[in-house]
Amino acid sequence: MGNAERELIQRLETRFRRMTEVLYDTSVPPQVLEDEVLPFIGEDITFKDPWQQGTGRETYRRGAAGFHCMFSFDFDIFQINVQLEEGGRGGRAIVDGIMNLRQFSWLYTYPLRTILVYEFSLVGSTVSELKPVVHTHEEMWSLGDMIAAVPGVGRFYTKVFRKGFSYGFLAASALCRRVRGAAATRG
C-alpha cells in the first residue's frame, strides 16, 4: 500500500467517524445532519437494520431526521476500518461500537453493541479530491445482546437460559452422535 492510499484511507476513516458521530448523536441539530452527512449520501442509498429497510436519498434524509426527533441516543466508537476495492474506486467502512439508547436515561441507558457498514464509491478527479458517496448503510445488532441488556431479564438470560440451552444442545449432540454411531455399526 502506497502513501497516497494510506492517506486516503485515513481521510476516509476520519470522514466515517464524523458521519457516525453526527448520525448517531441525537443532540446534533438537524442542520448539522444536512450539512455534514447528506453531501456524502448517494441518490440510491439503502439503509437497513434488523427491523427495517428503505431506499432513496429523500427516504434516508427523512428517516435520519425522524430518528433524531423521536429518540435519544449516542454512539461510542471502538474501532473503524476502511477497505478499498481493487482499483480504489470504492470500498466499505466498518464501525464497531455501542449505541447508547437514552430514551429513559433517568432510569436506564440501554447499551446496544452495534456494527455499522457503509458501502461507498469514490468520486473526484484526483486522489486529494476523492470523497465517498454512500450507497448502503447497514446497522447490525444482535437480538441476544438486546435481551441481555434488559434490566431484570438480562441476568436470567445470560446466567440461566444460555447456560441451560448450552447443556441441552450438548445433550442433543451426544444423542445424535450415539444414534448415528449405532446406525453406522449396523449398516
Side-chain angles (χ1 to χ4, degrees), residues 33-49:
L33 260 170
E34 292 279 333
D35 295 344
E36 294 193 35
V37 174
L38 282 183
F40 302 97
I41 300 302
E43 290 295 330
D44 62 342
I45 180 113
T46 295
F47 173 84
K48 56 185 164 182
D49 73 14

Side-chain angles (χ1 to χ4, degrees), residues 57-146:
R57 190 169 196 265
E58 184 57 23
T59 299
Y60 186 90
R61 186 188 69 74
R62 286 193 327 253
F67 270 104
H68 276 240
C69 180
M70 292 187 295
F71 297 103
S72 179
F73 55 83
D74 59 33
F75 198 95
D76 296 327
I77 297 172
F78 295 151
Q79 60 185 336
I80 295 177
N81 180 269
V82 171
Q83 288 187 323
L84 297 177
E85 294 172 350
E86 192 71 34
R89 294 310 292 174
R92 48 189 274 157
I94 299 175
V95 180
D96 174 20
I98 297 283
M99 188 181 344
N100 301 294
L101 306 172
R102 300 182 184 283
Q103 205 64 22
F104 303 106
S105 61
W106 51 273
L107 179 63
Y108 181 68
T109 295
Y110 190 92
L112 184 58
R113 173 94 190 263
T114 305
I115 296 174
L116 307 172
V117 177
Y118 302 97
E119 293 179 357
F120 61 90
S121 60
L122 291 169
V123 297
S125 6
T126 66
V127 174
S128 62
E129 293 175 351
L130 289 175
K131 78 169 196 166
V133 176
V134 178
H135 303 286
T136 305
H137 173 185
E138 184 172 4
E139 187 178 288
M140 294 177 271
W141 27 267
S142 157
L143 182 59
D145 286 352
M146 286 186 86

